[in-house]
Amino acid sequence: MAVTLGDSVECGEDVLFKEINGEAVLLHLEVGEYFALDPVGTRIWTLIRERGGQVGAVLAGVVAEFDVTPDEAERDLLALLEQLLAAKLLRLAGPSSG
Amino acid sequence: MPTYLAFGLRIAAERSLPGLVPFDGEGVDVYVALAPTSSDHGYEPPGIPDCRVIREDGGVISVQYSDGVAFTIRSDGGAVAGRWSPPQTVDDAICYLVGPILRTVLRLRGVPTLHGSAVALDGNAIAVVGPSGAGKSTLAAALVKAGGVLVTDDTVTLARSGHEFRILPGYCGLRLWPDVAPTVCAHEQLDPITPTWNKRFLRVTGRQFRREASALRGVYVLSGRKRLETHLVEPLDGPAAFIALAANMGVTYVDGRDLRAENFVTLADLVERVPVRCVTPVDDLSGAASLAELILEDARRLPAGD
């Protein structure tokens, strides 16, 4: 099922995160795979933690902080979240309460 | 029983272990038993042997290579038993022992490693890592020829001393392919290693081998790519450096959750404290001498360790 703006996501419990020079490395401890996030992806990961994982709120943060149209931001954000969900770095926490 | 000192380990073995430094002090950290077996494994694929790793009851680790050489390693890394069957020989078993098996022992004893070589300059060391066949040992030989001092081949320890990473002296020789060896040494300096492997052993002795631990000053990652005209040595930062080093960590097959988490912290610290470079050489390492000079020039500009 595709993630939507009405969903919430949360960081996987088996995931380690380290920010390095504005980018980040993630490790899934059970799978043993490493992932890299560019500066925008790193900021999105941080927004997820700051905004309770609510996808709509994360999108608002991206639009406010980056020079991007809302449509492009939504498309790119949802695509990134799908990748992170597929890699089990994130999991769906259910529909947003807000 | 002969005893050796390598990577900070006092190793007592039932047989002579070429390439390791003899030790006449007291105490033993690892006991090694090697014996032939008559069983016929019946299969030998070409190329690099596959490896199967099994965690057995009691935490013993069984490492089985498809060429018939096999090891069992006690869960605390305090004992290793190796066996081989024809056409492999004791030399093949020793080759695995001083490489991936000792890296496994080190990991079990809490010391992560990189798969690579290390050369000291003015008391500090640089590590050369990269995929198999990238030319790590050839480049290390060229660095020694250009004035560096060998610390180890094949296994680079990431031992800690406070905030500093230290490379412990290990294998006192270099294993070179015969076709590139003439670019870094004379033919008569090379000894065969095993009857079943073409690489040759270049023993490094005296002042060309460093017997003390060295602070890690920089890591040079040999990329799998080649250039047509000039060597390239360029900074590698952030996640790119982290993942390049993660790809060159030794024996991750023993890593469960806890060791993976430890590795993550170690690599994060390493990338923050030690400069990492990406090295893209010209098409073949017949240019090893010029690449070594380029790396030495870069390394001398790196901050020196304590």
Side-chain angles (χ1 to χ4, degrees):
Chain A
M1 185 186 302
V3 63
T4 69
L5 293 182
D7 289 324
S8 282
V9 293
E10 58 188 9
C11 303
E13 355 176 278
D14 293 328
V15 178
L16 298 182
F17 168 87
K18 174 70 179 179
E19 185 166 339
I20 307 173
N21 300 336
E23 297 176 287
V25 178
L26 302 164
L27 169 65
H28 193 296
L29 284 171
E30 286 299 326
V31 176
E33 287 183 356
Y34 291 91
F35 300 86
L37 291 175
D38 65 13
V40 175
T42 301
R43 183 60 187 134
I44 288 172
W45 185 272
T46 309
L47 281 169
I48 289 170
R49 296 197 295 194
E50 289 175 356
R51 301 201 172 193
Q54 296 178 29
V55 177
V58 172
L59 175 63
V62 172
V63 172
E65 294 183 26
F66 294 96
D67 182 18
V68 62
T69 66
D71 285 346
E72 189 177 1
E74 178 179 342
R75 186 175 60 246
D76 292 347
L77 171 63
L78 294 180
L80 175 62
L81 294 180
E82 292 289 354
Q83 284 185 287
L84 296 173
L85 286 164
K88 298 181 171 36
L89 298 169
L90 291 177
R91 57 186 180 205
L92 281 173
S96 295
S97 56
Chain B
M1 182 180 287
T3 307
Y4 303 87
L5 182 65
F7 312 112
L9 298 174
R10 295 162 297 185
I11 302 166
E14 295 175 350
R15 294 173 183 256
S16 168
L17 300 180
L20 298 189
V21 177
F23 176 70
D24 59 6
E26 294 188 353
V28 175
D29 297 305
V30 185
Y31 287 94
V32 174
L34 295 172
T37 179
S38 59
S39 63
D40 180 3
H41 59 84
Y43 171 65
E44 186 171 339
I48 299 173
D50 293 330
C51 170
R52 185 170 65 162
V53 181
I54 303 167
R55 274 197 182 267
E56 302 189 8
D57 291 343
V60 169
I61 294 173
S62 172
V63 182
Q64 301 169 1
Y65 294 94
S66 56
D67 61 3
V69 181
F71 294 86
T72 52
I73 307 167
R74 204 168 71 194
S75 60
D76 64 354
V80 174
R83 64 186 188 277
W84 66 91
S85 56
Q88 308 314 117
T89 67
V90 62
D91 297 311
D92 295 288
I94 290 172
C95 212
Y96 286 120
L97 172 70
V98 300
I101 300 304
L102 276 186
R103 285 199 288 276
T104 304
V105 167
L106 284 162
R107 195 67 196 98
L108 293 170
R109 299 176 74 99
V111 180
T113 61
L114 294 171
H115 186 192
S117 308
V119 174
L121 312 167
D122 306 323
N124 298 147
I126 58 172
V128 177
V129 303
S132 293
K136 301 181 289 293
S137 298
T138 304
L139 179 54
L143 288 165
V144 169
K145 191 174 180 184
V149 179
L150 182 69
V151 181
T152 184
D153 188 33
D154 204 40
T155 296
V156 175
T157 55
L158 295 176
R160 302 300 301 266
S161 175
H163 291 300
E164 191 175 73
F165 286 90
R166 299 185 75 73
I167 301 179
L168 302 175
Y171 198 63
C172 59
L174 291 156
R175 292 185 276 194
L176 305 173
W177 292 111
D179 54 342
V180 294
T183 65
V184 293
C185 67
H187 178 76
E188 52 269 22
Q189 293 178 275
L190 299 172
D191 296 321
I193 299 176
T194 88
T196 62
W197 197 29
N198 284 341
K199 273 197 171 182
R200 297 289 182 267
F201 180 63
L202 174 65
R203 187 174 303 277
V204 179
T205 58
R207 292 184 178 181
Q208 289 191 314
F209 179 71
R210 182 169 168 86
R211 293 179 179 235
E212 297 78 32
S214 308
L216 179 58
R217 187 171 179 170
V219 182
Y220 291 80
V221 182
L222 280 172
S223 82
R225 303 184 309 277
K226 303 294 182 187
R227 286 168 60 86
L228 286 177
E229 293 184 354
T230 56
H231 304 300
L232 183 63
V233 177
E234 53 189 344
L236 195 58
D237 298 319
F242 189 114
I243 289 178
L245 296 180
N248 287 288
M249 286 205 88
V251 295
T252 53
Y253 53 64
V254 297
D255 290 348
R257 282 180 61 97
D258 291 345
L259 286 182
R260 287 187 188 131
E262 277 183 33
N263 287 346
F264 190 85
V265 172
T266 296
L267 287 174
D269 221 14
L270 181 61
V271 168
E272 285 187 329
R273 296 180 186 279
V274 178
V276 181
R277 300 286 190 257
C278 179
V279 179
T280 309
V282 296
D283 194 35
D284 64 70
L285 276 176
S286 59
S290 58
L291 179 57
E293 289 295 341
L294 193 62
I295 288 175
L296 289 175
E297 188 183 323
D298 182 81
R300 290 190 177 107
R301 291 195 292 264
L302 297 176
D306 294 336

